[in-house]
Amino acid sequence: MARKIFKRPPILWFWPVTVAGMLMAAFSVVPGTPVPQVASGIFTDVTVAGGITWKHFNGESPDAHLIEAKNGGAAFFDFDQDGLLDIFLVNGGETPRGKSSTPVRNALYRNLGNGKFEEIAAKAGVDHISFYGIGVAVGDYDNDDYPDLLVTGYPERALFHNNHDGTFSEVAGKAGLKGSGRWSTGAAWFDYDRDGWLDLVICHYGQMSFASAPRCEFGGTPSYCAPSSYGKGAPLALYRNNGNGTFADASTTSGLDKNIGRGLGVVAVDVDDDGWTDLFVARDGSPNLLLTNQRNGAFRDFAMQAEVAYDPNGAAKAGMGIDAADVNGDGRPDFVMTAFNNEQHSLFINPGRFPFEDWTIASSLGFLTMSYVGWGTHFLDYDNDGIMDLLIVSGHVNKIVELTSSNVTYKELPLLLRNDGKGSFRNMQETAGPAFQTRYDARGLAVGDYDNDGDVDATLVRLQDTPVLLRNNVGGNSSWVGFQLVGTKSNRDAIGAKLTVRLGERKLVRWITGGASIFSSHDNRVVFGLGSSPGPPATSVEIRWPNGVAQTIDGLAPKRYHKVVEPQ
């Protein structure tokens, strides 16, 4: 396979187009210095080659606090706006009897553009938090063109405001997002009231206390207790952006505080195509939530009507990671949810009405995931054929599982599942690369095109170990077109936008979502695979912005990213 070429920061140029008051920029990439490594498989592990050495710490101890097993977030985002995706990694923390020999620090790796990364968390002011870290949500909450960081955890949260100079300031208390005493997990930025400012939904897990945590064991060996040992759970929290750097707690007025349960993963996407962003929340041993935006500041749970709250036997799965994409090419968002071993991960197909269709078995997802404990998951078109495939990372909770089961292991293989375009998946383990034949204790998963070559890469967090950075080797063999949307009246990140590209009889639909996977954040750019090269000489895109404005842009050159600024 051809050697992978990394790219320097993109060169931008602007020209007016036919939409009044709007500028669009296309940026191409200039070949840089080849990395001295021959591609092997669909993905290559480039962690060492990239200079990534940070190590996760979770405070594992004889007390077996469940929080030790439920953390490890990752994010792809361009913090310094140089056109290259950087990586932020959330560390766990110490427990009363699980101490670290070195200070527990988060990591921020600045992308140098030549396949290398520089660790600058201390310099940027994001290395230290005063609580046990869980996950990260990236969003430009003040619309200043620079992404900010929310870090969830126990018993507090942190909000790092981007200062535009390579540093961040922690402002959670000032912003009203401290969340003292709560065990916060997954989070998503989205504009639920369409006022142009990013709001925030945060999941909470259960009643947590290091001093009075439940104790469980198996055969005399300490083991993590069942989720129910931590109570019925806690309510969702919704914070409305005031537009002045502060947030108002809208949990009660929106009705979200009525939803008690153990929430982990959340994705924000327009489920019913009414132009208003909704929420799907994956919950651990609690019924899942499908919260539809009522367009008046409130949400209503339709999970029972959609038949996604429970499995077909009426049991609540151990829902963890969640994502949304059009799996079967009908232009509507479908949902994947990871779960515990022997439960099977779920695939819910959205037919445009309730109930949804459970394709867990029909898609082969159930068979492929029966022995796995899935965490981070994300749809991605890894080969740019225009069909959304699926990436899942896994790892069991209790190490003693291998003493009790013949087909379940503690460390587990990641899964790259190829979609046939009709919603049926095939495991690509044999050709995916050595990383997909290596067992990990994985948690967070983030995806993004960190080398700007038009195919989507990924990074995953391992408990008590270094992360894994995976470079995509095959997407560049096909044609593609990418988009970076910049909101003006809508939120700057354009979270909630819907994009449609037509290829003859095919209609490819993508969304800019909030949240997704578990504990993690992703590249906000959207890549459409256009199939075998050279592909069409030009294409067009239809954009429905988060505020409802629609526009069409024609004559877009392939194999480059196009920056589109929302019409004024």
Side-chain angles (χ1 to χ4, degrees):
M1 189 172 291
R3 181 177 294 174
K4 186 81 164 185
I5 304 296
F6 284 83
K7 313 298 191 291
R8 296 193 183 106
I11 299 172
L12 304 180
W13 63 91
F14 294 81
W15 69 91
V17 295
T18 56
V19 181
M22 188 270 290
L23 288 178
M24 181 182 70
F27 50 93
S28 63
V29 284
V30 180
T33 304
V35 174
Q37 182 174 357
V38 177
S40 175
I42 296 171
F43 285 92
T44 298
D45 182 346
V46 294
T47 311
V48 175
I52 296 175
T53 59
W54 172 88
K55 193 172 183 178
H56 178 270
F57 182 82
N58 71 346
E60 183 177 328
S61 72
D63 298 322
H65 299 287
L66 189 57
I67 199 171
E68 299 166 9
K70 296 181 181 291
N71 64 93
F76 275 118
F77 74 128
D78 184 5
F79 87 94
D80 52 3
Q81 294 296 280
D82 65 351
L84 296 165
L85 288 181
D86 311 298
I87 301 173
F88 181 71
L89 302 163
V90 181
N91 222 328
E94 295 183 324
T95 60
R97 291 203 290 168
K99 302 300 183 181
S100 174
S101 60
T102 59
V104 180
R105 296 286 187 260
N106 303 319
L108 176 60
Y109 280 96
R110 181 174 179 268
N111 191 337
L112 302 179
N114 58 357
K116 302 289 186 180
F117 290 82
E118 175 191 11
E119 210 290 298
I120 60 167
K123 180 180 178 181
V126 296
D127 60 325
H128 178 72
I129 53 177
S130 59
F131 54 91
Y132 194 104
I134 301 291
V136 57
V138 176
D140 182 6
Y141 74 86
D142 53 356
N143 286 339
D144 64 355
D145 296 316
Y146 281 78
D148 310 296
L149 295 170
L150 176 89
V151 178
T152 61
Y154 171 78
E156 296 180 349
R157 314 181 195 112
L159 179 63
F160 290 106
H161 175 261
N162 195 321
N163 297 324
H164 309 181
D165 59 0
T167 69
F168 292 78
S169 297
E170 204 290 297
V171 297
K174 177 182 177 181
L177 296 177
K178 199 72 173 177
S180 297
R182 292 188 170 188
W183 178 358
S184 55
T185 54
W189 295 98
F190 74 122
D191 184 6
Y192 80 93
D193 52 4
R194 301 205 328 184
D195 66 351
W197 299 94
L198 284 179
D199 311 301
L200 181 65
V201 62
I202 300 178
C203 300
H204 297 106
Y205 192 80
Q207 285 68 53
M208 175 64 195
S209 170
F210 285 126
S212 58
R215 299 286 189 269
C216 297
E217 63 178 36
F218 178 84
T221 301
S223 64
Y224 295 116
C225 296
S228 58
S229 301
Y230 290 81
K232 293 182 178 180
L236 291 175
L238 180 67
Y239 295 93
R240 183 179 182 274
N241 193 330
N242 295 322
N244 60 1
T246 68
F247 292 80
D249 191 333
S251 306
T252 300
T253 56
S254 66
L256 292 194
D257 65 344
K258 296 182 178 68
N259 299 288
I260 307 297
R262 292 176 290 271
L264 285 175
V266 57
V267 63
V269 67
D270 184 3
V271 174
D272 49 10
D273 202 35
D274 65 352
W276 294 72
T277 306
D278 312 298
L279 299 169
F280 195 122
V281 181
R283 303 203 296 179
D284 188 4
S286 306
N288 303 316
L289 303 173
L290 183 63
L291 300 164
T292 59
N293 194 325
Q294 301 300 292
R295 297 181 275 183
N296 60 1
F299 290 81
R300 183 179 174 188
D301 182 20
F302 279 92
M304 291 293 290
Q305 292 88 331
E307 297 183 1
V308 300
Y310 300 95
D311 72 8
N313 297 317
K317 290 186 178 182
M320 290 182 276
I322 186 78
D323 196 22
D326 181 9
V327 170
N328 58 347
D330 64 0
R332 291 184 286 265
D334 310 304
F335 297 90
V336 64
M337 183 186 75
T338 58
F340 215 70
N341 64 280
N342 298 324
E343 288 186 332
Q344 304 178 332
H345 302 356
S346 296
L347 180 65
F348 300 114
I349 298 296
N350 177 0
R353 63 187 182 279
F354 297 148
F356 285 1
E357 299 171 5
D358 190 335
W359 281 21
T360 300
I361 302 301
S363 66
S364 296
L365 184 65
F367 166 74
L368 293 167
T369 62
M370 177 64 80
S371 63
Y372 288 85
V373 177
W375 295 89
T377 184
H378 212 285
F379 289 108
L380 74 169
D381 181 6
Y382 73 84
D383 53 359
N384 278 338
D385 66 352
I387 300 170
M388 298 303 287
D389 310 301
L390 184 59
L391 180 59
I392 303 171
V393 300
S394 307
H396 209 278
V397 175
N398 281 308
K399 294 180 179 179
I400 59 173
V401 67
E402 296 180 8
L403 302 177
T404 63
S405 175
S406 61
N407 67 331
V408 179
T409 59
Y410 175 64
K411 293 186 177 182
E412 298 178 326
L413 301 173
L415 295 173
L416 180 64
L417 306 181
R418 190 174 193 272
N419 183 355
D420 68 356
K422 300 178 182 179
S424 180
F425 293 98
R426 177 166 60 96
N427 192 350
M428 301 300 292
Q429 178 185 359
E430 293 184 0
T431 58
F436 290 82
Q437 299 172 17
T438 304
R439 297 183 183 276
Y440 304 115
D441 191 9
R443 292 300 185 263
L445 168 72
V447 304
D449 182 10
Y450 78 87
D451 50 2
N452 284 338
D453 62 354
D455 52 30
V456 179
D457 312 297
T459 189
L460 62 93
V461 174
R462 297 186 285 174
L463 296 186
Q464 302 279 75
D465 210 333
T466 55
V468 178
L469 179 62
L470 298 173
R471 188 188 68 218
N472 188 326
N473 299 313
V474 303
N477 298 333
S478 297
S479 189
W480 59 275
V481 63
F483 298 95
Q484 178 183 352
L485 302 192
V486 180
T488 54
K489 184 177 180 181
S490 300
N491 67 85
R492 193 72 86 243
D493 292 338
I495 294 174
K498 175 184 177 182
L499 300 87
T500 304
V501 166
R502 299 182 187 275
L503 290 176
E505 298 295 321
R506 295 175 65 190
K507 181 176 71 171
L508 309 181
V509 181
R510 308 285 185 263
W511 296 264
I512 299 180
T513 62
S517 187
I518 194 169
F519 313 144
S520 301
S521 284
H522 318 277
D523 189 355
N524 261 355
R525 296 175 299 177
V526 177
V527 177
F528 287 85
L530 303 178
S532 300
S533 289
T539 189
S540 64
V541 64
E542 301 167 12
I543 301 172
R544 187 177 70 192
W545 291 87
N547 71 355
V549 170
Q551 71 177 112
T552 299
I553 305 172
D554 300 308
L556 299 171
K559 291 210 169 185
R560 66 183 60 182
Y561 285 99
H562 299 268
K563 185 175 183 179
V564 183
V565 181
E566 182 181 17
Q568 292 285 346

